[in-house]
Structures are given as C-alpha cells and as structure tokens.
Amino acid sequence: MAAVQESLPNELQLAVDAHVKYIQSLDTQKDDFNYWLTEHLRLNGVYWGLTALHLLGHPDALPRAETIDFVLSCQHDNGGFGAAPGHDAHMLSTVSAVQILVMIDALDDLEKRGKGIAKVGKFIADLQSRETGTFAGDEWGEEDTRFLYGALNALSLLGLLHLVDVDKAVQHVAACANFDGGYGVCPGAESHSGQIFTCVAALAIAGRLDLVEKDKLGRWLSERQLPSGGLNGRPEKDEDVCYSWWVLSSLEIIGRAHWIDRQKLVDFILRCQDVELGGISDRPGDMVDVWHTLFGITGLSLLGYPGLEPVDPVYCLPKKTIQRVLGK
C-alpha cells in the first residue's frame, strides 16, 4: 500500500502536516464565538486532538505541561472532572481526563497535584447502579452504555476495576443485545453503531466476548458500508466519517474487519480531509472538526494506512500506550 500512495493525487493522500497544524490551532481561536459555544466539549476535545496527534506521529505537538495543568484544573473535590474549569463533573470528561493523563504518562501528576487516583476511581464507581449494573453520567442520573464503557475503560487503565461490579455491568450489556446481533443504548433500544462499539468494547475489557453473536453482528456492521465506501450508523442513514471508527473498531474486536471493502473506506476518509488547512469532515465538502479528524485518523489506522501509529480498537488510544499501561 505504501508504494501505491506515493502516486496518488493529493486529495487521496493523508495531509499529515496540515492536520497537525489544524489541531495545534484549535486553542488559539479564543476570539471566535464558536470557541466558547463548544466549552462544554473542551476536555473531550483535548483528548480527541491529542490522540490524533499521537497516531499521526507527533505526540509532542501540544505542550505537555500546559496540557497537564488544564486537565487538573478541571478536577473537582469528588475526584471527577468537568468539561472545562467550573463545569460539573461528568463521566465522559472524567474518562477523557484519565485517557489524556495515561497517554502522556502523567498519572503521577494526578497523584501529587490533583485529587489522587483513588478519588477518581471512587467518583466513577459511585455512579454504578446496584440494581442494574449500568452507570450514570453524573449525579443527575442519566444512564447510557457510553457511561458503562467509559467506566470500565478508565478504571481498567487505573488498575481499579475491582471497585465496581463487573459481572453486573456485563449482565446489563447482555440485556441490551438485539435480534440482529447489535446493541442499543439500553434494553429494548434499536441497534446503533456507536452503542454497539460501547457494548462490544466493554465486553472486551471484561473478558466476555463469548456473549457476542459475532457472525450475526458482523453481518449487520458490514452492511453499514454504502456505495461511496463510507459507513453509516444504522440502516437508511447517510455515511459519516466517525463511523469509520465505531463500525470498524467493533468489526476489528470481533475479528470481522475483513468483511468490508477496506480500500473504498480509505478513499472515502481521504476525500473528507481539507488538504490545505487540515482537518477531516463528516463527508466530502463539509466543514472539518476535531471529532471527525480523530475518528477519520483512527479509521485509517485500523485500516493499516502507512505512516500512522497503530490504534487499540478497544480503548481508542495508541497501542503503545496500552502496551505500556496494561502490558497488552
């Protein structure tokens, strides 16, 4: 594949330098109204951008010390993290904080300058329902398999999975399974590619992939590929670059990634990039954003695109990070 790429037109080559500059520029736009409209995504955005930079082979493109300072400034006394300083603590931003600190090997800073690893673990564990085994996102009680996956993700990275009832969480995931092999946001909800990833990845962390109907699920997921080469989240929906991650990672976890046309998906992702200013959009011709930039790059990494660091399909972190932390 590497030899072929050299002869391709610019729009079908990954514009690595442009993407790095685009991600670096995101925190310099503080005079832009949209910067403040997205404050509720700030910590997640740092995770998206930083992960993309690591996969692009530029792990030092963001200043490490400033990154750590920002992450710790988002932590509350209860151990959880908000999306930005002053925002309520939430599971999603807490998971992003853990992933960032693990990726840049900064858990020591959390222990020395933050509220400590144990407090983070307690914040997450306290959000598990003793009745159903699932997790809420925050103290207000909204439940979602995204939060369950996030809890198992972060706690396993911190070595604190023992704080929660993993078996009960697995039972909840199993209850979310549908006749088509997919999973929904809760028991009885329709299958959706994003929720399938959270459920399958959670089962992978728990060591219970035996519960997945792999062939049935693989068929459903592979049917998400459209003539453009892109993937959608559920039947009759448009293709979207982000499903290059949600669909493909699930297929990778269950060993069915070869069931889609990999080259057509590579070409679709590359057509969604801005080769001059950087960034990747949801589909060709649309505005870029850091969310789709990350998931376009993770999709390309899973597809074995040359020059990219391998991504772990369960954790959405560089494989070298998971090997360092978990020995996998």
Side-chain angles (χ1 to χ4, degrees):
M1 184 184 246
V4 174
Q5 296 299 331
E6 293 176 1
S7 62
L8 290 175
N10 286 338
E11 64 271 18
L12 290 182
Q13 295 181 29
L14 187 61
V16 172
D17 291 342
H19 297 323
V20 171
K21 290 176 182 177
Y22 164 71
I23 294 168
Q24 289 176 317
S25 74
L26 292 174
D27 201 46
T28 66
Q29 302 170 13
K30 296 180 181 179
D31 291 333
D32 189 330
F33 185 51
N34 286 330
Y35 179 90
W36 300 105
L37 287 178
T38 57
E39 188 178 48
H40 65 292
L41 298 172
R42 190 74 69 237
L43 191 51
N44 294 330
V46 173
Y47 158 71
W48 299 331
L50 187 63
T51 305
L53 289 170
H54 276 248
L55 297 177
L56 289 168
H58 291 264
D60 301 320
L62 294 184
R64 184 176 185 274
E66 291 179 26
T67 300
I68 295 171
D69 289 345
F70 175 74
V71 172
L72 295 181
S73 74
C74 298
Q75 191 176 26
H76 288 250
D77 288 337
N78 64 6
F81 291 78
H87 286 239
D88 291 346
H90 193 278
M91 177 72 80
L92 295 182
S93 45
T94 299
V95 175
S96 288
V98 171
Q99 290 177 306
I100 292 166
L101 294 175
V102 166
M103 193 166 17
I104 60 177
D105 198 12
L107 288 181
D108 284 348
D109 290 88
L110 174 61
E111 200 63 29
K112 295 173 184 176
R113 299 166 48 203
K115 311 302 178 185
I117 293 173
K119 271 210 165 184
V120 179
K122 185 176 187 306
F123 170 79
I124 294 172
D126 286 348
L127 292 172
Q128 185 176 30
S129 167
R130 295 183 179 179
E131 295 180 2
T132 66
T134 193
F135 288 77
D138 56 25
E139 61 181 311
W140 308 111
E142 179 192 6
E143 295 179 346
D144 188 319
T145 50
R146 291 177 302 159
F147 310 146
L148 185 155
Y149 161 70
L152 299 192
N153 178 316
L155 290 175
S156 61
L157 291 174
L158 295 174
L160 298 175
L161 260 183
H162 62 276
L163 295 180
V164 298
D165 191 333
V166 176
D167 289 340
K168 200 118 185 179
V170 167
Q171 291 172 19
H172 179 79
V173 172
C176 295
N178 290 320
F179 70 94
D180 53 18
Y183 296 83
V185 66
C186 61
E190 69 171 320
S191 296
H192 186 280
S193 299
Q195 302 303 145
I196 287 170
F197 165 76
T198 64
C199 289
V200 172
L203 291 175
I205 294 171
R208 292 305 312 273
L209 285 176
D210 59 292
L211 296 176
V212 180
E213 295 189 69
K214 296 182 178 66
D215 283 347
K216 186 180 286 188
L217 176 57
R219 282 194 295 271
W220 191 92
L221 289 169
S222 61
E223 288 171 358
R224 304 280 60 78
Q225 189 163 36
L226 300 180
S228 67
L231 304 166
N232 65 13
R234 49 193 168 132
E236 305 302 322
K237 296 296 182 179
D238 290 337
E239 62 271 54
D240 188 316
V241 156
C242 71
Y243 295 112
S244 304
W245 169 257
W246 309 117
V247 173
L248 190 58
S249 59
S250 299
L251 286 169
E252 187 74 24
I253 292 169
I254 64 173
R256 304 295 187 277
H258 58 288
W259 285 13
I260 64 164
D261 188 323
R262 299 166 74 89
Q263 189 58 53
K264 285 187 71 174
L265 180 54
V266 168
D267 293 346
F268 172 76
I269 297 170
L270 293 177
R271 289 198 304 271
C272 294
Q273 65 178 340
D274 185 329
V275 297
E276 295 181 358
L277 299 179
I280 298 175
S281 61
D282 56 349
R283 54 188 64 90
D286 287 354
M287 291 289 292
V288 305
D289 60 75
V290 67
W291 158 274
H292 289 96
T293 299
L294 170 63
F295 293 123
I297 291 169
T298 55
L300 290 173
S301 176
L302 285 174
L303 291 163
Y305 190 90
L308 293 179
E309 290 288 333
V311 65
D312 186 278
V314 173
Y315 287 90
C316 198
L317 286 171
K319 274 193 175 182
K320 62 173 58 174
T321 296
I322 299 305
Q323 290 167 351
R324 170 170 54 81
V325 177
L326 300 179
K328 293 183 178 180

